[in-house]
Amino acid sequence: MKEIPVYYAPSSFEHFPQYEIFNGKNDLHEESSARIANIMHALEMSGIADINISTVKSLGIVERVHSYDYIKYLKKTTESARETALANNDPIFAIYPSVHPYNNFGHAENAVALRGTYAFDTYTPIMRNTYEIALDSAGAAIAGAMLLREGQPQVYALTRPPGHHAEKAMMGGYCYINNVAVAAEYLISKGAKKVAIFDFDVHHGNGTQDIFYDRKDVLVVNIHAEPKEKFPYYTGYQDEHGNGEGEGYNFNYPLKLHTEDEAYDQAVKRALEHISRFCPDYLLVSAGFDTHKEEPIGGFSLSTEYYKTLGGRIARFGIPTLSVQEGGYATDVLGQNVVSYLKGLLGK
Ligand code: SP5
Ligand code: ZN
């Protein structure tokens, strides 16, 4: 008996960022397709996953989450990358920003200017299929949310590229479209009154925070490495509480580098209290496994076993829950970390 439904989009395997630009130099890009290959393998071996292909078209909901201009930019720039890739027989051709807006009066239309307008870092290239692949990834999150509406208690969306750094009108942190935000917006569009998002990726989910910062129907709770040390640096501090109607519906729990299971678990318990107080119709989880001790770009020292504890704490709410894959770059252990978490969700 396969217990947890999983959705993924096959195009997730066709996204090939080669390098990120750091301090003017090319660095190996950690967000590789080996990540989801390792997860798929571990899911198959575990026998607990009912793996399904998503064919959901996400554009309609995506356009409620992201600005029209941003999505238009992503589409057009993907088309332009595709033309160059074809013309030069260079399938890994990639577009990166070079100039970022200083005073933006909204007149700059040059392609170089737009790259900086819509991206906050130099880690997130646009390549020949980026737009379509990012839409498919968001589609897998919607497919998972559809299953929640049919009464499934726990669902996992194996999304790649990840999403939680993508803001309303900016890409960054390997993210183009905010998958978890799209799933939340989908559920709201179908009548949900309250959705909670719990983000345990080691990096602050700046995109999700940005998208829901003014809203009280979507509670956002984040636990992550302190941003004064780690990406995304500018957000994720404790005094970011939400704005206007959204005041009191955003919480950040930044933790010290090298945090281990026990201290982490204490913070998780405090963070989860906000969710039980909120009584959401649905819980969405931005599940990043870059908190693991073997993580190349992480900062914490969690064990594989801990993810089972974490899954158990989340499942204990008894709220229909969709977990959406975010980061995790220790490709040899990523799959077993995901399986450990899913076992926790299933109360094993
Ligand atoms: C979804 C997610 O986990 N995104 C993570 C984005 C963080 N990227 C920052 C990694 C910077 C590592 N490169 C620094 C190179 C030093 N040699
Ligand atoms: Zn991360």
Side-chain angles (χ1 to χ4, degrees), residues 164-165 201-203 290 327 329:
H164 76 149
H165 294 304
D201 187 282
V202 81
H203 305 102
D290 38 15
Y329 308 94

Side-chain angles (χ1 to χ4, degrees), residues 25-45:
K25 294 201 176 71
N26 292 355
D27 249 338
L28 175 75
H29 207 293
E30 301 281 357
E31 207 290 278
S32 71
S33 63
R35 299 176 58 243
I36 82 163
N38 186 264
I39 296 173
M40 287 291 264
H41 180 71
L43 291 175
E44 281 160 8
M45 298 302 286

Side-chain angles (χ1 to χ4, degrees), residues 58-325:
S58 63
L59 184 59
I61 305 290
V62 165
E63 284 183 330
R64 300 165 69 119
V65 167
H66 294 283
S67 80
Y68 176 80
D69 290 351
Y70 170 67
I71 295 301
K72 186 171 85 180
Y73 166 77
L74 182 56
K75 180 168 191 259
K76 287 190 104 128
T77 308
T78 297
E79 283 164 6
S80 141
R82 186 177 301 146
E83 278 167 28
T84 307
L86 278 172
N88 299 354
N89 193 19
D90 178 10
I92 57 171
F93 176 76
I95 293 173
Y96 291 82
S98 306
V99 180
H100 291 275
Y102 40 99
N103 272 323
N104 193 349
F105 293 103
H107 301 309
E109 287 172 6
N110 186 283
V112 176
L114 294 182
R115 291 173 199 174
T117 300
Y118 294 114
F120 65 80
D121 67 19
T122 52
Y123 303 156
T124 315
I126 297 180
M127 302 171 73
R128 59 176 181 169
N129 294 323
T130 301
Y131 171 72
E132 291 78 12
I133 296 174
L135 281 178
D136 289 347
S137 185
I142 295 178
M146 287 172 160
L147 226 51
L148 290 188
R149 293 190 68 245
E150 290 171 18
Q152 279 289 337
Q154 296 292 342
V155 183
Y156 170 58
L158 175 43
T159 45
R160 176 177 187 262
H164 76 149
H165 294 304
E167 301 195 342
K168 275 189 207 100
M170 275 208 181
M171 62 189 70
Y174 319 152
C175 304
Y176 308 89
I177 290 175
N178 195 313
N179 306 313
V180 80
V182 168
E185 196 61 53
Y186 168 78
L187 290 167
I188 299 262
S189 78
K190 293 293 178 188
K193 294 285 173 265
K194 289 191 283 181
V195 175
I197 299 177
F198 175 56
D199 184 326
F200 67 77
D201 187 282
V202 81
H203 305 102
H204 176 243
N206 61 289
T208 314
Q209 170 168 303
D210 170 66
I211 289 162
F212 298 114
Y213 208 59
D214 300 316
R215 287 170 56 169
K216 62 174 182 185
D217 55 344
V218 181
L219 171 72
V220 178
V221 182
N222 243 283
I223 179 166
H224 48 272
E226 48 186 357
K228 66 178 188 189
E229 300 289 348
K230 282 280 169 182
F231 186 91
Y233 309 111
Y234 298 97
T235 59
Y237 297 88
Q238 225 154 0
D239 61 357
E240 297 157 23
H241 285 302
N243 184 43
E245 270 205 347
E247 174 79 43
Y249 294 89
N250 187 88
F251 292 95
N252 285 320
Y253 286 84
L255 301 178
K256 285 202 278 293
L257 293 189
H258 312 297
T259 294
E260 296 178 6
D261 294 353
E262 208 170 307
Y264 187 85
D265 197 45
Q266 292 306 316
V268 163
K269 282 193 258 180
R270 271 181 282 132
L272 291 181
E273 276 169 27
H274 296 290
I275 291 163
S276 66
R277 222 170 298 142
F278 184 62
C279 294
D281 304 313
Y282 297 100
L283 172 58
L284 305 183
V285 181
S286 268
F289 296 86
D290 38 15
T291 46
H292 189 257
K293 56 186 172 197
E294 286 173 42
E295 173 60 40
I297 62 167
F300 291 167
S301 274
L302 302 190
S303 67
T304 296
E305 298 68 44
Y306 178 73
Y307 295 113
K308 189 169 167 183
T309 307
L310 179 59
R313 293 206 183 287
I314 289 168
R316 222 162 296 153
F317 286 124
I319 301 166
T321 300
L322 170 67
S323 295
V324 179
Q325 180 65 41

